[in-house]
Amino acid sequence: MRTARLVLLLLALTLGGARAEEAGALRSDPSLPLRGGAAAAGALVWIHPFTRDPQPPAAPGWSHRLTEAGWDLWRFDRVGGPDPLAAGAERLAAGTAALRARGYRRIVLLGESRGAFIALVALRYPGLADGVVLAAPAAHGRSVERRPQALADFAAALDAASPDAPARLALFLFADDPWDPDPARRAALFRAAAERLGRPALVVEHPPAPIGHGGVQDPEFDAIFGACLVAFLDLDRASPAACP
């Protein structure tokens, strides 16, 4: 019986693709093929929200547009316990440097909620990535008393961004998000930072749909913004002025 179970396990691993590989704190997604730096069109790094679930959230459905176009999906997983911003940003930057060493020509970060805030803080590291998509960045809870600090930390992270910032910067802020301290102010700060850095910026503020803090996970997000966002992240063509 034990031999039969072992055979079934080996068969499942074979059919399911290679087991996860590591690049610093990043892990490849074992549910998808790993082409490798020399063959892949690029590396998409998924930075999920804070979670205590042993199984971290899957990348939003939008990610299939890149993986089906030849990109490898990597994950920056943090489960339970402390989830510090500065240390997380440092580990993320070390991970993308490891991906560069593997030969990836393009790297795009996709962060949601606390994952997005970690990516925001990581903008201080030169060579971090070629594109960054921040979906509803949050790290300070929902209390009204914490909103001034949340806004100050958002501004400070942008002020600290390296002059060698990613070539494309995108920010999505959704309506009915109790974690957002001031959508209009954050959008203005982001646009100003991108202008200072000389980078194209895509800012989507309170679209009619999807709504809520987890808007990037809604199937509507891919249907409405998917194609335009891929075009924005294509460094070989001029960026669209707005999406959709």
Side-chain angles (χ1 to χ4, degrees):
M1 181 64 73
R2 291 179 60 187
T3 301
R5 284 200 298 266
L6 179 59
V7 170
L8 289 174
L9 176 60
L10 292 174
L11 179 60
L13 290 173
T14 300
L15 295 176
R19 60 179 64 176
E21 295 190 19
E22 296 184 357
L26 308 183
R27 287 169 50 86
S28 64
D29 191 316
S31 68
L32 295 170
L34 184 67
R35 300 167 181 87
L44 173 63
V45 180
W46 163 234
I47 314 160
H48 60 74
F50 174 80
T51 181
R52 296 187 185 279
D53 193 319
Q55 182 62 41
W62 168 82
S63 64
H64 81 92
R65 292 182 181 265
L66 290 185
T67 57
E68 291 175 3
W71 289 63
D72 285 345
L73 179 61
W74 290 78
R75 306 175 55 95
F76 182 35
D77 288 339
R78 302 107 40 230
V79 177
D83 192 11
L85 298 177
E90 183 177 9
R91 293 172 61 225
L92 173 61
T96 61
L99 292 180
R100 298 278 190 204
R102 282 174 167 257
Y104 284 99
R105 186 173 64 93
R106 297 273 168 82
I107 298 175
V108 167
L109 308 184
L110 170 58
E112 179 187 358
S113 189
R114 193 173 187 88
F117 218 102
I118 289 173
L120 178 70
V121 174
L123 291 178
R124 69 186 62 184
Y125 292 99
L128 174 71
D130 300 287
V132 173
V133 180
L134 307 176
H140 298 77
R142 294 179 289 179
S143 69
V144 174
E145 293 76 16
R146 292 279 286 162
R147 287 179 181 175
Q149 189 63 53
L151 192 59
D153 288 350
F154 185 88
L158 290 171
D159 288 343
S162 167
D164 183 32
R168 302 283 168 92
L169 300 167
L171 174 67
F172 287 84
L173 303 174
F174 304 106
D176 296 337
D177 181 356
W179 277 268
D180 194 331
D182 190 333
R185 181 60 180 154
R186 294 212 299 178
L189 288 168
F190 193 81
R191 288 189 179 98
E195 183 176 358
R196 183 184 75 250
L197 295 166
R199 300 292 190 267
L202 174 65
V203 179
V204 178
E205 182 185 355
H206 284 195
I211 63 173
H213 187 61
V216 72
Q217 295 283 355
D218 194 304
E220 284 187 295
F221 181 90
D222 181 45
I224 298 170
F225 299 108
C228 184
L229 185 52
V230 169
F232 177 77
L233 294 170
D234 185 351
L235 273 62
D236 295 325
R237 58 191 286 190
S239 63
C243 283

